[in-house]
Amino acid sequence: MLYQDAFLQRLEAGLRDNLPKWGLPATAPLRLLTISENATYLAEDAAGGRRIVFRVHRPDYHSKAEILSELAWVKALLEAGVVETPRGIPATNGDLLCAFPDAGTQRYVVAFEFMSGKEPDASDDLVKWYRKLGGINARLHRHSRGWRAPAGFARKLWDFDTIIGAASHWGDWRDGLGLKVDGAAILERTAALLRRQTDELGKEPDQFGLIHCDMRLANLLVDGERLAVIDFDDCGLSWFGYDFAASVSFLEHEAYIGELMDAWAEGYRTVEPLAAEQAAALPIFVMLRRMQLTAWIASHSETPTAQSMGEPYTDGTIALAERHLGQYI
């Protein structure tokens, strides 16, 4: 499915037909914000003074039950004061989830409050923000361990098999753009090592549970001293340390990753304990995430993010894999 102009025009037309369900005129200005797993739009109603962010879901990824479960956790986190994140906005009939037909499939649509801020970037003090992010993750994980999910709650499992194994949600890393025989052999060895390492870590409830799973910089909003988290679309069951790995998505090769890891762990420990063995496992999750994203870029090659990474990202994955093998074998 290509996010080309004609396709985006079709998506916008379908979304416009749904705007009145949230009390907005179908003619309200719409601006495309991002295209990744989903397409995200900002609608502005000047007369009513409202700004609403709409997420149009990619088909055949999350079920209706999974999307409603995401919104249920977000609601619980807000009620408990755990994190600052946009609140889901129900349609005028009270439904949090609407849909429109598109080329023989259903496109789910959800709405969120607009939240001010900007994505942190390399010009910011990333160490400072990752220290704060560690504290946010610790509060999320504490909530996850103690929260009783409602009946029918359903979110994806993110373990070795579903991250880069036979049941991977985002495709096969072997399809990595430009991957050649020698590089594939290195990644095969790395995958085998990661399988052993994650098996040894286990899935005990003190380190495995419901997490955000995608706190990369694009899903953080800085406004003054506030650090907010957006887009719980990929939240699911995984290792708590995997939240750090996701937070350095597309940055795994940078020399300052060690500093961010230390800052994250420091911030985490101001809220919750982080055992030495759990901190030591963070590089394992970073490598696991890197291989997952190599598969994602291949399976989502139509997206701007994937196109900006291309074959050099695969080459970088191989280099990181060689380093990982050298550290653990």
Side-chain angles (χ1 to χ4, degrees), residues 66-186:
E66 286 176 319
I67 298 169
L68 290 174
S69 296
E70 170 207 347
L71 298 175
W73 191 36
V74 168
K75 182 174 183 287
L77 290 170
L78 286 167
E79 288 175 348
V82 173
V83 65
E84 293 190 69
T85 191
R87 188 178 304 274
I89 301 175
T92 53
N93 67 356
D95 289 345
L96 283 167
L97 182 63
C98 295
F100 62 86
D102 174 59
T105 188
Q106 284 287 101
R107 286 276 178 170
Y108 290 123
V109 182
V110 293
F112 296 93
E113 295 173 334
F114 173 81
M115 180 171 276
S116 64
K118 72 176 187 68
E119 170 188 337
D121 57 40
S123 66
D124 294 317
D125 183 356
L126 288 181
V127 169
K128 165 188 169 181
W129 292 119
Y130 272 78
R131 188 176 295 112
K132 186 166 284 194
L133 184 62
I136 291 172
N137 274 142
R139 289 192 292 276
L140 280 168
H141 299 164
R142 181 170 61 195
H143 183 274
S144 168
R145 283 190 288 267
W147 185 52
R148 236 178 133 170
F153 188 85
R155 291 301 302 175
K156 284 181 169 53
L157 172 69
W158 298 100
D159 62 3
F160 179 88
D161 285 331
T162 59
I163 292 173
I164 64 167
S168 56
H169 295 309
W170 288 354
D172 192 339
W173 59 261
R174 296 169 186 83
D175 297 328
L177 301 182
L179 183 61
K180 298 179 176 60
V181 173
D182 290 350
I186 292 168

Side-chain angles (χ1 to χ4, degrees), residues 58-296:
R58 191 184 190 96
D60 305 319
Y61 184 48
H62 290 316
S63 67
K64 181 177 181 179
E66 286 176 319
I67 298 169
L68 290 174
S69 296
E70 170 207 347
L71 298 175
W73 191 36
V74 168
K75 182 174 183 287
L77 290 170
L78 286 167
E79 288 175 348
V82 173
V83 65
E84 293 190 69
T85 191
R87 188 178 304 274
I89 301 175
T92 53
N93 67 356
D95 289 345
L96 283 167
L97 182 63
C98 295
F100 62 86
D102 174 59
T105 188
Q106 284 287 101
R107 286 276 178 170
Y108 290 123
V109 182
V110 293
F112 296 93
E113 295 173 334
F114 173 81
M115 180 171 276
S116 64
K118 72 176 187 68
E119 170 188 337
D121 57 40
S123 66
D124 294 317
D125 183 356
L126 288 181
V127 169
K128 165 188 169 181
W129 292 119
Y130 272 78
R131 188 176 295 112
K132 186 166 284 194
L133 184 62
I136 291 172
N137 274 142
R139 289 192 292 276
L140 280 168
H141 299 164
R142 181 170 61 195
H143 183 274
S144 168
R145 283 190 288 267
W147 185 52
R148 236 178 133 170
F153 188 85
R155 291 301 302 175
K156 284 181 169 53
L157 172 69
W158 298 100
D159 62 3
F160 179 88
D161 285 331
T162 59
I163 292 173
I164 64 167
S168 56
H169 295 309
W170 288 354
D172 192 339
W173 59 261
R174 296 169 186 83
D175 297 328
L177 301 182
L179 183 61
K180 298 179 176 60
V181 173
D182 290 350
I186 292 168
L187 295 186
E188 286 284 6
R189 291 174 58 211
T190 306
L193 173 59
L194 290 169
R195 161 74 80 177
R196 294 195 299 272
Q197 290 175 318
T198 52
D199 283 349
E200 290 169 2
L201 288 169
K203 298 176 182 176
E204 296 302 316
D206 66 328
Q207 63 172 325
F208 196 97
L210 184 59
I211 68 170
H212 182 282
C213 221
D214 195 23
M215 281 191 185
R216 55 197 171 97
L217 294 182
N219 287 333
L220 304 177
L221 284 177
V222 169
D223 190 353
E225 291 300 306
R226 185 211 71 197
L227 180 64
V229 177
I230 63 173
D231 196 1
F232 281 70
D233 180 54
D234 283 316
C235 70
L237 299 169
S238 192
W239 294 277
F240 292 132
Y242 198 70
D243 258 343
F244 171 77
S247 78
V248 294
S249 295
F250 307 114
L251 302 174
E252 306 92 348
H253 60 284
E254 297 287 357
Y256 54 73
I257 290 301
E259 293 180 71
L260 301 186
M261 191 180 299
D262 290 344
W264 185 90
E266 180 185 336
Y268 197 102
R269 288 180 172 127
T270 63
V271 177
E272 285 284 290
L274 182 66
E277 58 270 24
Q278 290 177 318
L282 296 179
I284 296 170
F285 298 133
V286 172
M287 190 67 240
L288 191 66
R289 176 71 168 187
R290 176 76 185 212
M291 289 187 65
Q292 181 190 38
L293 290 176
T294 304
W296 185 89

